[in-house]
Amino acid sequence: AGAFVSKTSYTAYSTALDACYSNSNCKGVSYYPENGKFWLNAADKAKAHPGGMFWKKKGKSYTHSGRVWSMYDGYQIKGGKSSTKKYTDLYDALYACASASACNGVNKVSSSEYYLMKGTTVEVKKGRSCYVQGDKVATYGGYTYTTLSGVYYGGWLSSKVYTTYSAALTACSSSSKCTGVTKTGTNKYKLNSGNTVQTNSKYTLYPRGGLASSTYYYTFANSVWGAYSPYSLSGKVDGKTYKTRSAALDACMQNKKCVGFTQKSDTNYYLNSGTTKTKSAGKVAHVKLGKGKFSSDYMWQEKSGYALTGSASSTTYKTFDTAAKACSTSSACKGITYESAKKFKLNSSTTAKKSTGKIAWIKRGETKAYKSYYWTKNTGFKGENYPSTTSNSTLATA
């Protein structure tokens, strides 16, 4: 694929992709079978090379509905629509596209108007965005796995054969030596230890990529919390550990030095004094974001002395609750700003800028109050209940 970015080569697929992502001059990654190495390329055009492979860097990506989507700002997908239906939510459009064999992408016309498209070729279109459907992707044990048909990695981690896809990928994520999983036959999966790509039309390779990132929000004791995976927080408050999330939340709220806590496992949590996040496989950083307010089936994160950017409507409201009701029914509205007495404005962005005398509220997930608990909707996560000794304070994911 042309000239290399540097003389450095990589033995691992995931390491090469990470390096290319961090280098603005890198346009893609090439694999050369003669030396089993991956190289960073300065050009994005592939050339024929027996046994070789090329991964083109396309820009921003989005993972949803088991697929990787290439995102293009200022572009639209050419060609006809695969369906005439208009979608008002991006998540619904991506899910529908992933489920339809004729759909290969989604065009965004506005924040509340999306269409399913047949083609994959993009063209410049000011004010538009599009999402082109890519490879299948799965996440197991905090790592991402894509699907490559007709190839496999040379070198087996062990002779053990797994009978299910999920069991094999989970086992691979637990081993530092595993580079991927190869399906060798019906209900037959083996773990790989090498990075040399070899061809076999009957095999399917699931190369282990980088750590998968996710974020969700919940509330506790009238505060909004953000959970960031896979990250840990800086600075330990003390040497104590807690067996439940509820216990860690209770302890953090009672300790003035605590700004959050790190979850090492479902039964191991410790309090933190710093908010610096560091990538760490298998861990989740829980950060206290600020005060929370419940209104119109949503939880709102408060930021006093700040104003949100972007306007979602020209209408202003006299009370927070009437503004929250309007914002809760608008997909374009991301938050509310109190500007002056009896003047609340709807905003189209969650970006907050310092502004004396103003108060910003960021919309954080659909929320329901039920039996003295708050429950928030976080799409794409398993539901977990965390009862607390503090009444009317826990919000569990659902």
Side-chain angles (χ1 to χ4, degrees):
F4 297 133
V5 171
S6 69
K7 295 181 179 179
T8 303
S9 62
Y10 301 85
T11 57
Y13 157 83
S14 57
T15 307
L17 293 182
D18 278 339
C20 187
Y21 170 78
S22 302
N23 192 318
S24 60
N25 294 320
C26 181
K27 306 301 181 184
V29 173
S30 290
Y31 170 76
Y32 287 82
E34 53 265 39
N35 56 23
K37 298 290 181 67
F38 298 84
W39 298 81
L40 308 191
N41 294 104
D44 60 3
K45 293 183 179 180
K47 294 181 179 180
H49 191 97
M53 299 184 75
F54 178 66
W55 291 266
K56 181 179 177 180
K57 185 163 77 172
K58 291 187 175 180
K60 293 180 181 178
S61 65
Y62 204 85
T63 303
H64 195 277
S65 299
R67 292 278 182 176
V68 175
W69 305 79
S70 296
M71 178 183 175
Y72 300 89
D73 284 322
Y75 289 82
Q76 67 177 9
I77 298 172
K78 294 174 65 176
K81 298 172 185 175
S82 64
S83 167
T84 57
K85 182 177 178 179
K86 181 181 80 171
Y87 291 84
T88 59
D89 182 83
L90 172 61
Y91 300 125
D92 291 341
L94 293 177
Y95 178 79
C97 186
S99 305
S101 59
C103 182
N104 290 302
V106 172
N107 272 348
K108 176 185 176 182
V109 178
S110 70
S111 60
S112 58
E113 188 175 358
Y114 301 86
Y115 293 97
L116 310 191
M117 305 300 294
K118 294 179 181 178
T120 58
T121 303
V122 300
E123 62 183 0
V124 175
K125 185 68 174 178
K126 187 177 180 181
R128 299 284 181 89
S129 295
C130 63
Y131 301 81
V132 179
Q133 187 174 179
D135 292 335
K136 290 181 179 179
V137 63
T139 302
Y140 283 85
Y143 287 91
T144 57
Y145 293 84
T146 49
T147 303
L148 300 174
S149 299
V151 296
Y152 70 101
Y153 277 156
W156 306 108
L157 187 60
S158 70
S159 60
K160 184 174 181 177
V161 177
Y162 294 84
T163 57
T164 66
Y165 166 84
S166 58
L169 267 62
T170 300
C172 185
S173 296
S174 301
S175 172
S176 61
K177 295 180 180 180
C178 184
T179 56
V181 172
T182 296
K183 181 181 181 181
T184 59
T186 303
N187 298 327
K188 293 182 179 180
Y189 301 85
K190 295 184 70 176
L191 308 190
N192 296 109
S193 60
N195 287 288
T196 303
V197 180
Q198 299 183 28
T199 58
N200 187 317
S201 61
K202 296 181 179 180
Y203 285 3
T204 301
L205 173 65
Y206 307 97
R208 190 171 86 173
L211 291 169
S213 297
S214 64
T215 302
Y216 65 90
Y217 302 95
Y218 61 96
T219 64
F220 186 88
N222 295 320
S223 291
V224 177
W225 294 72
Y228 306 90
S229 173
Y231 292 93
S232 61
L233 292 177
S234 58
K236 284 190 177 182
V237 171
D238 50 39
K240 295 181 180 179
T241 58
Y242 300 87
K243 292 185 178 181
T244 66
R245 189 184 73 161
S246 295
L249 284 164
D250 281 329
C252 190
M253 291 302 297
Q254 296 174 46
N255 192 313
K256 292 181 180 180
K257 293 181 180 179
C258 184
V259 297
F261 58 91
T262 297
Q263 175 183 345
K264 292 182 70 176
S265 69
D266 287 339
T267 57
N268 192 326
Y269 303 78
Y270 60 87
L271 307 188
N272 297 100
S273 57
T275 57
T276 301
K277 296 190 291 289
T278 303
K279 269 201 170 185
S280 187
K283 295 182 180 180
V284 183
H286 297 257
V287 182
K288 184 164 55 177
L289 299 176
K291 292 180 181 179
K293 182 188 283 256
F294 174 69
S295 183
S296 296
D297 292 338
Y298 275 87
M299 188 57 63
W300 308 82
Q301 178 193 340
E302 181 180 320
K303 291 183 73 99
S304 185
Y306 285 83
L308 297 180
T309 60
S311 176
S313 171
S314 59
T315 305
T316 58
Y317 299 85
K318 292 182 179 181
T319 68
F320 171 81
D321 287 332
T322 55
K325 185 177 181 180
C327 188
S328 68
T329 59
S330 170
S331 60
C333 184
K334 306 302 181 185
I336 300 166
T337 297
Y338 165 80
E339 297 197 328
S340 60
K342 297 184 179 181
K343 188 178 180 181
F344 294 81
K345 182 181 177 181
L346 307 191
N347 299 101
S348 59
S349 170
T350 58
T351 301
K353 293 186 177 181
K354 285 188 176 182
S355 186
T356 304
K358 296 185 180 181
I359 304 173
W361 285 279
I362 301 172
K363 187 164 68 172
R364 294 295 194 194
E366 190 178 343
T367 304
K368 300 290 184 183
Y370 182 72
K371 290 189 176 181
S372 299
Y373 284 82
Y374 287 131
W375 303 79
T376 236
K377 181 181 179 181
N378 286 289
T379 304
F381 294 89
K382 291 182 178 180
E384 297 176 307
N385 297 345
Y386 294 90
S388 170
T389 55
T390 306
S391 63
N392 299 313
S393 60
T394 297
L395 180 151
T397 60

